[in-house]
Amino acid sequence: MKIRSILAYSALACGAAVTVMSAPPMAKAAVPIPSSTMVAQQPSLNLVGEGEGTLTIGTRPSQTVTFATVTTTNQQAEITLRLADGNLQRWNGQVISRSTEEAQIRLTNAGAADATGTFTIRYQGSTLISISGSGTLDGQPLSLRFTIADDSVSRPPVASPDIFAQAGQGTFGLQGRPNQIITFASVTVQPDDSAELTIRLANGNNIPFGGQQTRRTAEDIVLNLTSSGNADAQGPANIRYGPNNSIISISSNGTLDGQPFFIQFSGQTAAAQPSIQPAATPAAGTVVCTGRMQNGWQYRAEVTNRRFSQINWERSGAEPTVSTLRFDRNNAQGQPVYRGSFRAATQVALVDLSGGNPRQGSQISVGVEEWGWSRGNCR
């Protein structure tokens, strides 16, 4: 089984509901557990991964899990699973223990359903490794086994959503109701530009908005909001983001079922953001890495400040083209992974095998969807 993990620096912040939903409704606040089981306050976890696993509930047929997120804020935890049929299932819980590589989460509820049991979350840095555990859901036996692996150098890339999340403080206002405090926000943008903006209120409820990404730069995203659960919504949302897909601010106003609303949110500034590139001595001079795909396309990858910025493509009898690259993550081996597209239609990935210090004599691995992979040499 070849599985692929996605390094992301944030995760979904959606309401808890074990039932399948097209858009998550407002969630019920997690039922607290005695303070004696609490662990000392630690920085939030924002883990996300693509892999494969099995979810079993009662006598129902086992379901295949293809994607998972784990988000913790203080001792509160949310686990979201995407099933092979595209549907989502979510749980709330409490962090009862945590180390640098593992966290124990005690389940408390899944929407209106009671949940018990403990899930073990294994991770490395910000990379989700596995989720395993058992318990009950409304009295029915529950078990989950989900594993992440990374083979980004051995198979073509697959398009994945971009996820931005951040704790912070803000205000949600809806005409005719008192303003409410926002404590957390997340934005998920799918490869087709469909998007979801979710805000978590101080009372534990989540308010999701659906829409479409209409613009993206290196610093901000603009969404056109069209729905909120089963309600109609209209209006733009401007999201500024920073390192590690953190949210700097959100500003939005419009109508929700015909009533004016607004969102103003500022994300907390992390005390120390993890480096997305290993520290290294700058390479002397200009570095370019070249190679050839099996179908005849020759490539020339260019480096700027130890980062790969683009790939130039050439083939006899074909029009040259350029793929602009963006840094995606470091894989499990600490090698930077960049992503882009070939003529805006085919996914491209570049893995810097030098570990973040490309130089004369180092190598890269370039993968193109349906073309396979090729090893390139740097000079």
Side-chain angles (χ1 to χ4, degrees), residues 67-347:
F67 192 82
T69 69
V70 178
T71 304
T72 69
T73 303
N74 298 332
Q75 280 73 51
Q76 301 297 320
E78 292 183 349
I79 299 172
T80 302
L81 306 177
R82 183 177 299 279
L83 306 180
D85 59 9
N87 292 316
L88 295 178
Q89 295 195 344
R90 304 181 179 92
W91 286 272
N92 281 347
Q94 199 84 6
V95 179
I96 57 175
S97 68
R98 179 175 163 188
S99 68
T100 57
E101 297 181 347
E102 186 175 288
Q104 301 280 334
I105 296 176
R106 178 176 295 165
L107 301 181
T108 55
N109 67 292
D114 294 328
T116 66
T118 302
F119 280 176
T120 299
I121 315 298
R122 293 183 57 245
Y123 52 92
Q124 183 178 9
S126 297
T127 305
L128 178 63
I129 303 299
S130 66
I131 305 175
S132 61
S134 60
T136 65
L137 181 65
D138 267 355
Q140 297 295 311
L142 161 71
S143 68
L144 171 65
R145 296 290 184 274
F146 180 74
T147 304
I148 303 296
D150 194 325
D151 64 347
S152 60
V153 181
S154 64
R155 72 183 182 103
V158 178
S160 58
D162 291 322
I163 303 173
F164 307 81
Q166 191 70 37
Q169 188 167 350
T171 303
F172 171 70
L174 182 63
Q175 186 176 40
R177 300 184 187 181
N179 290 348
Q180 299 191 67
I181 296 174
I182 304 170
T183 61
F184 189 88
S186 71
V187 176
T188 302
V189 181
Q190 300 292 340
D192 63 357
D193 286 336
S194 61
E196 183 180 88
L197 162 66
T198 301
I199 57 174
R200 181 188 298 162
L201 305 180
N203 62 10
N205 289 333
N206 290 341
I207 301 179
F209 291 87
Q212 195 78 8
Q213 176 180 264
T214 59
R215 183 168 69 90
R216 166 86 68 92
T217 70
E219 297 179 348
D220 72 300
I221 296 171
V222 178
L223 304 182
N224 178 33
L225 303 181
T226 57
S227 65
S228 178
N230 294 323
D232 292 328
Q234 290 184 344
N238 296 80
I239 298 100
R240 291 184 59 230
Y241 65 95
N244 303 331
N245 282 14
S246 60
I247 294 177
I248 298 174
S249 66
I250 298 176
S251 178
S252 178
N253 67 285
T255 60
L256 182 59
D257 261 359
Q259 299 297 313
F261 81 90
F262 72 88
I263 297 171
Q264 291 293 333
F265 175 81
S266 296
Q268 293 175 348
T269 302
Q273 294 283 2
S275 173
I276 60 175
Q277 289 278 29
T281 303
T286 302
V287 177
V288 295
C289 306
T290 59
R292 183 178 182 276
M293 306 301 293
Q294 292 183 356
N295 61 2
W297 278 101
Q298 295 181 349
Y299 56 85
R300 182 177 184 271
E302 298 183 357
V303 178
T304 303
N305 296 328
R306 298 198 305 274
R307 289 174 177 257
F308 286 88
S309 57
Q310 65 181 40
I311 300 177
N312 298 286
W313 299 93
E314 293 183 354
R315 188 172 73 173
S316 177
E319 195 73 25
T321 189
V322 176
S323 297
T324 301
L325 299 175
R326 61 177 176 82
F327 175 79
D328 180 34
R329 60 192 175 91
N330 284 352
N331 62 20
Q333 289 74 42
Q335 299 162 340
V337 179
Y338 299 83
R339 297 198 183 276
S341 63
F342 183 89
R343 294 179 176 170
T346 305
Q347 295 293 315

